[in-house]
Amino acid sequence: RNEVESLIKLFHTLAAESRDRFAAAGIDRNMFRNILHCTFGMTDDMIMDRVFRTFDKDNDSCISVIEWVEGLSIFLRGTLEEKMKYCFEVYDLNGDGYISREEMFHMLKNSLLKQPSEEDPDEGIKDLVEITLKKMDYDHDGKLSFVDFEKAVRDENLLLEAFGPCLPDIK
C-alpha cells in the first residue's frame, strides 16, 4: 500500500512537471524517456520507445496513473512470468505475436557497440540472429513465439533481455 501511494505521489509530481499538453492526463513520451534515462540508465532509443509503448496500454501517447503503477509493478518487482511477457512485448516491434529475424536484427544492431573493423558489421549481427534462433526457436519456424521465448528464458534466465536492456538493473 505504501509503495503504491508513493508511486501515485511521484506520478502526480512528474505529470505536473511535464509541460506537454498531456500534463493533466499523465506522463508524456519525452518525460517518460527522461525517467528511463536518468533513473534507470537506459540509453537505447528504440528500447525506450518500446518500453513506453508497453506501459501505454491504451495507446493514447500518455502514461496514466494506472498504467504507471501497473507498469512499474512489473518493471520493478514483477515475477519471472510477468517479466517474460513484458520483455516479449517490448521486443515484438510490430505487435504480431512473434519476434522475427528482422526485429532481432534491428534490436541487436541498435544495442551492440559499433566495432571499427574491416568487415561489414551487419554480417556479424546476421550471424548473431542465426545463433539466437538456433538457441531459442524451439519449433524451428524461423521466428520466436512467446512459447519459444518463455522456454528459452526458463532454460537460461540471462536470455530474458537477449535483445537489449529493457528492465532496471538489480541495484
Side-chain angles (χ1 to χ4, degrees), residues 29-70:
R29 181 181 309 266
N30 289 336
M31 172 65 78
F32 189 75
R33 286 171 57 105
N34 192 40
I35 294 162
L36 291 176
H37 179 71
C38 296
T39 307
F40 300 109
M42 288 190 183
T43 56
D44 186 323
D45 286 333
M46 180 188 291
I47 295 286
M48 286 192 290
D49 187 54
R50 292 298 308 157
V51 171
F52 177 83
R53 288 176 186 226
T54 302
F55 270 64
D56 183 20
K57 295 290 183 203
D58 61 5
N59 289 323
D60 66 350
S61 298
C62 170
I63 307 289
S64 71
V65 69
I66 291 167
E67 291 168 334
W68 171 256
V69 172
E70 289 175 350

Side-chain angles (χ1 to χ4, degrees), residues 31-152:
M31 172 65 78
F32 189 75
R33 286 171 57 105
N34 192 40
I35 294 162
L36 291 176
H37 179 71
C38 296
T39 307
F40 300 109
M42 288 190 183
T43 56
D44 186 323
D45 286 333
M46 180 188 291
I47 295 286
M48 286 192 290
D49 187 54
R50 292 298 308 157
V51 171
F52 177 83
R53 288 176 186 226
T54 302
F55 270 64
D56 183 20
K57 295 290 183 203
D58 61 5
N59 289 323
D60 66 350
S61 298
C62 170
I63 307 289
S64 71
V65 69
I66 291 167
E67 291 168 334
W68 171 256
V69 172
E70 289 175 350
L72 282 177
S73 169
I74 293 168
F75 191 71
L76 297 170
R77 289 185 171 249
T79 63
L80 181 60
E81 285 72 23
E82 289 171 327
K83 287 181 177 181
M84 283 189 289
K85 284 181 186 148
Y86 160 82
C87 289
F88 187 85
E89 198 175 330
V90 168
Y91 299 147
D92 179 12
L93 300 180
N94 64 3
D96 68 352
Y98 294 95
I99 303 171
S100 68
R101 275 186 162 83
E102 292 76 24
E103 288 167 325
M104 287 180 216
F105 180 84
H106 285 301
M107 286 179 290
L108 290 171
K109 184 174 178 145
N110 245 21
S111 66
L112 295 174
L113 294 171
K114 310 291 183 270
Q115 296 295 325
S117 70
E118 300 290 314
E119 61 185 86
D120 180 11
D122 287 0
E123 283 307 309
I125 295 165
K126 286 177 188 164
D127 291 344
L128 196 52
V129 168
E130 292 310 313
I131 291 166
T132 303
L133 281 169
K134 276 193 179 91
K135 175 86 175 148
M136 298 177 81
D137 182 17
Y138 290 94
D139 59 8
H140 306 292
D141 63 353
K143 56 191 176 184
L144 297 184
S145 65
F146 180 72
V147 173
D148 290 331
F149 184 77
E150 181 180 31
K151 184 166 177 18

